[in-house]
Amino acid sequence: MPMLVSTKPTPPPDRVVTQETVRSALAWGATRLRQTPSSTPRLDAELLLSHATDRTRTALLVWPDHALTSDQSAEFSRLIEERASGVPVAYLVGERSFMEFDLAVGPGALVPRPETELLVEWSRRLLSERSGGVVVDVGTGLGTIILALASHLPSGDYAFIGSDPSPDALAWARQNRTSLNSNATVHLVQGDLLTWFGGKATLVTANLPYLRPDQIDGNWELANEPRLALDGGAQGLELIERLVVSMPTKLKRLGALALEIDPSQSKAVVELLQRHLPWLNAEVHQDLAGLDRFVTASPIAENQR
Ligand SMILES: C[S@@+](CC[C@H](N)C(=O)[O-])C[C@H]1O[C@@H](n2cnc3c(N)ncnc32)[C@H](O)[C@@H]1O
């Protein structure tokens, strides 16, 4: 029997000839996602293709004629269909960048939003003016705020604690803590607001659930994220109010509090702060879109710094 000798050259593993190139895959993916409520169909498609091909977004854009393997095409189609059903891109790729980090994220925890970086920047500034103390992030989720604060401070004079009632969120936070690039220790506690905390904090940060049920129900972008991370009760203020009421016994006299809010809540939250922490300055801070995004109570007003 004659030996069978293949005359076909073997293509390199990621160069199997298919119909699909980066350009055509992205065009298809973006078109598919334009049929959904996603506000960023092209970006979503780029992030998902980057994940499916293990190439950076820049590489995809620089080599649009690069051919996909059939496995890459199939994986990309699967990811696009998952996204079309409302699954957040961050859950599909397993991470989301926040400040200078890539945080691991998946079902059971809120995907960090860029607006929260402003609260972190304010808090970093405040801590750089202090020499130590306890910093508590209430409703820490993936550890988003507390890890960003702990990793930025070289000094070991601060104790950092993140708390959340959700075991799923805390599992992500523990995973993210392992990649913390700092000597600081971050403790993670399961609990309701600050009911478990017997000390006096220098800084309390909180991005608590602050949406009203009508802002959540039927919202395609939020449908796959945990209700526990979103629902702030009838006016969206139930948890924020409970936290502020507890503050006088949980905060040092010259401590500070930073609360992320829905833009519609700034007046009500300032009133709460003025009622329960009248010796501190309550201030509203806008996000880059000019919307009221977080409120602080601190001993020194921004314009006196
Ligand atoms: C809007 S998410 C914020 C997550 C994270 N801090 C961030 O900024 O991305 C709100 C978080 O508060 C937590 N949470 C809900 N109820 C809480 C409560 N009673 N006490 C403390 N945290 C709570 C949720 O589990 C969720 O992780």
Side-chain angles (χ1 to χ4, degrees), residues 98 109-113 116 137-145 163-166 169 191-194 206-210 228-230 239 242 260:
F98 183 82
L110 186 99
V111 177
R113 307 298 204 259
T116 306
D137 179 39
V138 183
T140 200
L142 306 170
T144 310
I145 296 172
S163 79
D164 206 290
S166 160
D192 171 38
L193 298 178
L194 285 176
N207 175 14
L208 285 166
Y210 54 67
L228 181 68
L230 301 166
L239 289 163
R242 276 182 56 215
E260 186 166 318

Side-chain angles (χ1 to χ4, degrees), residues 36-101:
T36 73
S38 170
S39 55
T40 52
R42 172 78 191 190
L43 176 64
D44 292 359
E46 288 178 11
L47 292 167
L48 294 176
L49 189 60
S50 164
H51 184 67
T53 58
D54 201 18
R55 285 168 189 265
T56 63
R57 268 177 71 215
T58 308
L60 297 179
L61 301 179
V62 171
W63 289 291
D65 295 322
H66 184 85
L68 305 191
T69 66
S70 49
D71 283 355
Q72 289 171 338
S73 283
E75 176 62 357
F76 181 58
S77 306
R78 186 189 70 78
L79 292 169
I80 289 286
E81 290 310 324
E82 291 248 16
R83 176 64 186 138
S85 75
V87 179
V89 171
Y91 283 6
L92 295 171
V93 304
E95 63 180 25
R96 170 55 49 97
S97 47
F98 183 82
M99 310 293 294
E100 58 273 33
F101 314 100

